[in-house]
Amino acid sequence: MSDTYRRIVLASRPRGWATVDDFRLEVVDMPPLEDGHVRVRNHFLSLDPYMRGRMNDAKSYAAPQALGETMIGATVGEVVESRDPGFAVGDRVAGYLGWAEYGVSAAGGLTKVGTHPLSAYLGVLGMPGMTAWYGVNKILEPKPGDTLVVSAAAGAVGGVVGQLARRAGARVVGIAGGAEKCRYVTQELGFDACVDYKTAADVKALAGSIRTAAPAGVDAHFENVGGDVLNAVMSLLNPFSRVAICGLISDYNMIPGDIPKSAIRNPGLFLTARCRMQGFIVTDHLELWSEGLRALTAEVASGRMKYRESIANGVESAPAAFIGLLKGENLGKQLVRLKDDG
Amino acid sequence: MSDTYRRIVLASRPRGWATVDDFRLEVVDMPPLEDGHVRVRNHFLSLDPYMRGRMNDAKSYAAPQALGETMIGATVGEVVESRDPGFAVGDRVAGYLGWAEYGVSAAGGLTKVGTHPLSAYLGVLGMPGMTAWYGVNKILEPKPGDTLVVSAAAGAVGGVVGQLARRAGARVVGIAGGAEKCRYVTQELGFDACVDYKTAADVKALAGSIRTAAPAGVDAHFENVGGDVLNAVMSLLNPFSRVAICGLISDYNMIPGDIPKSAIRNPGLFLTARCRMQGFIVTDHLELWSEGLRALTAEVASGRMKYRESIANGVESAPAAFIGLLKGENLGKQLVRLKDDG
């Protein structure tokens, strides 16, 4: 084990779009290990849209990322040194060790993972999968015959949402950017239809395309994106419909003080559709983690649940890969591989 | 009984603000009575904000009001002629006979009412009371210690909302227009505080005033008004808060195509507050009517539930009284008395 490791810290807070210059690569000394703590070599780092919010110095559901500190983030890896009786060298663990090749955590901050590939515990068997499971089963509750729409359908969360909803008997319409993603969503993930939002000139045209794919209207919508997508889908909501707000990535790089693209332009639809819209953060519901993970693991083990990964190599690649994620360049779960044979 | 009666019909569909010229007073012949039907002399007519929506020729949860026909609306009165064995002359009944001195209904469209004053069955013991009861108990579910805000607090629905929420142990903040209404809300209805929205220069000032009255933030909001009120309250929502959208009266007279005043300007609050927002129409939930009416009747019978009425006299006064209601000129339930000794 080297005496040093590499990490990415937040160098500056972006105003509007984040750039690679908001991050800095550092080589730092390996710290000593205290009692009750565990040292992990990270094999994979998860990149997720929520990280953009943490880069702001704004009130939110979580504290902002500190400047000059390791960027936060979920990781999977292998224990290389342990001063806690619960963990041994070689244990495969998930944690929140951030954008770094190595990390140290109190034992309570780590979870031993199962026998699926390590990277799955950052995707379908990790926070994105749980997010999909919670939104579908605890908010949207699709019934057989319902039409469910999900945006960012080719992403880590959206792909699981659609597959879970189809299993529940819903007609599933994905929304994604580009023909390649739409092909993936329908042909590989098995959605009933997919709308390429990039082909729509405006919100009205987008609503028209979704209407064609959802001729009976929309009973449930899982929102990862916001902006025109949210307003277009809202115009198609059926009576007693549900909307789960998981993310509004189209607003994450807005200039503070601007009107968000996701501003809800026709609130009267809450009345005409008697719709229920609910924002959620999956980590508020840790008491359901084992129930959800059991369901997702069964889907993955059976081979029914499909997923893909977009992998960048080396911690130095994380900033560009993260900005690519915010721009929708990834297909499936965006990861950074931190170990050559990871 | 006269051979004719007076009624108000919809003469034209307003574009923007409704005016008295959109209505027409007519004297029409008393129709013959068919088998299974009942003739009622209406003592009181209910005026309600939802009627403005029916005046438009737009898709909504209900069909538009037809031009040249009696304006729709709930009524209470006395049976004057019956060709149905279930009703006898003198029975006190509620129905939807519209803006007219007399009406004929199939027996199934009428309900016999209890022994409280007839007008109460159009207010606290009618649709407005049930609307309040449903929103508070089935959507907002205030817990002891919660702070609940309700707009149009001096209105027929808002006054009941606040009293039911206080009974549930919540701190209740009303929002109303003018000092007289605020006095009524706090001194007569017993709300903990009331904010006069007319004293606030903009949405930020309004949010500041509500924050002063709700120093622990807002856990539940019952929205009758929309516009700046909705956006101001949303900025104060606590985690896991609930918002019931009952009405958005500030948008009801908008020019079609304009951006509604109630457009939700900061949808990111759905995430930071993990808020649940739900639109509802009480008549979707008729299966709960007897449960709600029992609860409301107990409150009224005990004398705990306070309410007031604003009464206009004569069917010819309905259009101006209705426009006054849309402008917030009423205190409590807006009624039209159709019988001198009603």
Side-chain angles (χ1 to χ4, degrees):
Chain A
M1 193 171 75
S2 161
D3 289 346
T4 61
Y5 68 97
R6 298 187 302 162
R7 67 174 189 173
I8 302 282
V9 301
L10 182 63
S12 56
R13 300 200 185 279
R15 183 179 155 84
W17 270 95
T19 72
V20 293
D21 295 333
D22 293 317
F23 303 94
R24 186 171 64 238
L25 179 68
E26 289 185 349
V27 178
V28 289
D29 288 343
M30 205 68 84
L33 194 66
E34 298 171 79
D35 265 357
H37 282 60
V38 177
R39 192 186 314 279
V40 179
R41 178 168 185 185
N42 296 327
H43 291 206
F44 287 98
L45 160 65
S46 177
L47 295 179
D48 300 279
Y50 77 84
M51 295 166 172
R52 178 61 189 81
R54 303 290 179 90
M55 294 170 73
N56 296 336
D57 189 18
K59 186 190 156 192
S60 184
Y61 58 89
Q65 159 76 40
L67 284 171
E69 298 289 339
T70 307
M71 270 294 295
I72 45 94
T75 48
V76 287
E78 206 177 319
V79 172
V80 291
E81 192 182 352
S82 177
R83 295 191 62 182
D84 185 275
F87 289 90
V89 170
D91 281 353
R92 289 153 42 97
V93 293
Y96 282 85
L97 300 178
W99 300 18
E101 294 173 324
Y102 286 83
V104 162
S105 171
L110 298 174
T111 312
K112 291 184 200 175
V113 300
T115 56
H116 292 281
L118 262 185
S119 61
Y121 296 96
L122 296 178
V124 61
L125 300 178
M127 195 265 286
M130 281 301 301
T131 299
W133 177 85
Y134 183 87
V136 169
N137 290 292
K138 303 299 172 182
I139 297 180
L140 298 180
E141 303 173 278
K143 296 178 296 294
D146 276 359
T147 297
L148 180 144
V149 175
V150 55
S151 57
V157 175
V160 179
V161 167
Q163 293 179 80
L164 291 177
R166 285 212 84 214
R167 207 87 70 242
R171 172 178 176 81
V172 174
V173 177
I175 302 177
E180 185 198 350
K181 285 186 182 175
C182 281
R183 260 195 311 276
Y184 164 66
V185 163
T186 51
Q187 293 176 18
E188 205 165 316
L189 302 185
F191 286 28
D192 297 284
C194 188
V195 171
D196 176 3
Y197 71 85
K198 292 188 175 174
T199 65
D202 57 21
V203 63
K204 203 173 163 186
L206 182 57
S209 300
I210 302 169
R211 158 76 69 192
T212 303
V218 177
D219 302 293
H221 176 52
F222 192 108
E223 184 59 275
N224 290 307
V225 173
D228 278 356
V229 170
L230 177 56
N231 281 286
V233 173
M234 280 192 74
S235 72
L236 303 172
L237 290 177
N238 285 333
F240 312 109
S241 45
R242 291 81 64 198
V243 176
I245 304 282
C246 172
L248 296 168
I249 198 169
S250 67
D251 295 337
Y252 290 175
N253 288 286
M254 65 181 275
I255 305 278
D258 282 2
I259 293 179
K261 290 181 188 163
S262 305
I264 295 173
R265 294 169 217 163
N266 189 353
L269 295 168
F270 277 97
L271 289 170
T272 51
R274 285 83 108 199
C275 122
R276 166 164 59 87
M277 181 176 288
Q278 188 167 351
F280 75 105
I281 310 286
V282 70
T283 46
D284 289 327
H285 308 284
L286 297 179
E287 78 285 1
L288 298 172
W289 209 267
S290 61
E291 178 190 350
L293 194 57
R294 205 159 46 235
L296 291 163
T297 302
E299 291 294 313
V300 170
S302 73
R304 282 192 301 265
M305 177 72 72
K306 313 290 185 196
Y307 62 97
R308 275 211 219 173
E309 295 165 343
S310 290
I311 299 183
N313 282 296
V315 72
E316 69 280 10
S317 71
F322 175 62
I323 290 162
L325 168 74
L326 294 178
K327 293 186 170 164
E329 291 168 4
N330 58 305
L331 194 73
K333 174 66 200 167
Q334 181 64 56
L335 298 167
V336 179
R337 183 188 276 123
L338 299 171
K339 184 167 174 286
D340 286 346
D341 58 348
Chain B
M1 193 168 78
S2 161
D3 290 345
T4 61
Y5 68 97
R6 298 186 303 160
R7 66 174 190 173
I8 302 283
V9 301
L10 182 63
S12 57
R13 300 199 185 279
R15 184 179 153 83
W17 270 95
T19 71
V20 292
D21 295 333
D22 294 316
F23 303 94
R24 186 173 62 240
L25 178 69
E26 289 185 349
V27 178
V28 289
D29 288 342
M30 206 67 84
L33 195 65
E34 297 170 81
D35 264 356
H37 283 60
V38 177
R39 192 186 314 278
V40 178
R41 177 167 187 185
N42 296 327
H43 291 207
F44 287 99
L45 159 65
S46 177
L47 295 178
D48 301 278
Y50 77 85
M51 294 166 172
R52 178 62 188 81
R54 304 290 179 88
M55 293 171 75
N56 296 336
D57 190 16
K59 185 188 157 193
S60 184
Y61 58 89
Q65 159 76 41
L67 284 170
E69 297 289 339
T70 307
M71 270 295 293
I72 45 95
T75 48
V76 286
E78 205 176 322
V79 172
V80 291
E81 192 181 354
S82 177
R83 295 192 59 184
D84 185 273
F87 289 90
V89 170
D91 282 352
R92 288 152 43 97
V93 293
Y96 283 86
L97 300 178
W99 299 17
E101 295 173 323
Y102 287 83
V104 163
S105 172
L110 298 174
T111 311
K112 291 184 201 175
V113 300
T115 55
H116 292 280
L118 261 184
S119 61
Y121 296 96
L122 296 179
V124 61
L125 300 179
M127 195 265 286
M130 281 302 301
T131 299
W133 177 85
Y134 183 87
V136 169
N137 290 292
K138 303 299 171 181
I139 298 180
L140 299 180
E141 303 172 278
K143 296 179 297 293
D146 276 359
T147 297
L148 180 144
V149 176
V150 53
S151 59
V157 175
V160 178
V161 167
Q163 293 180 79
L164 291 176
R166 286 211 83 216
R167 207 86 69 241
R171 173 179 175 81
V172 174
V173 176
I175 302 178
E180 185 199 349
K181 286 185 183 175
C182 280
R183 256 195 312 276
Y184 165 66
V185 163
T186 52
Q187 292 176 18
E188 203 163 319
L189 302 184
F191 287 28
D192 297 284
C194 187
V195 171
D196 176 3
Y197 71 84
K198 292 188 175 174
T199 65
D202 58 20
V203 64
K204 204 173 160 184
L206 181 57
S209 299
I210 302 170
R211 158 75 71 191
T212 303
V218 176
D219 301 293
H221 176 52
F222 192 108
E223 184 58 276
N224 290 308
V225 172
D228 279 356
V229 169
L230 178 57
N231 280 284
V233 173
M234 280 192 74
S235 72
L236 303 172
L237 290 177
N238 286 332
F240 312 109
S241 45
R242 292 83 63 199
V243 177
I245 305 283
C246 171
L248 296 168
I249 199 169
S250 67
D251 295 337
Y252 290 175
N253 288 287
M254 65 181 276
I255 305 280
D258 281 2
I259 293 179
K261 290 182 188 161
S262 305
I264 294 173
R265 295 169 215 162
N266 189 353
L269 295 168
F270 277 98
L271 290 170
T272 51
R274 287 83 107 200
C275 119
R276 166 164 59 85
M277 181 176 286
Q278 188 167 349
F280 75 106
I281 309 285
V282 71
T283 45
D284 290 326
H285 308 284
L286 296 179
E287 78 283 3
L288 298 173
W289 210 268
S290 62
E291 178 190 348
L293 194 58
R294 205 160 44 236
L296 291 163
T297 303
E299 291 295 314
V300 170
S302 73
R304 282 191 301 267
M305 176 73 72
K306 313 290 185 196
Y307 61 96
R308 275 211 219 173
E309 296 166 342
S310 289
I311 299 182
N313 282 297
V315 72
E316 70 280 9
S317 71
F322 175 62
I323 290 162
L325 169 75
L326 294 177
K327 294 188 170 163
E329 291 168 4
N330 59 305
L331 194 73
K333 175 65 199 168
Q334 180 65 56
L335 298 167
V336 178
R337 183 186 279 124
L338 299 172
K339 185 169 173 285
D340 286 344
D341 58 346

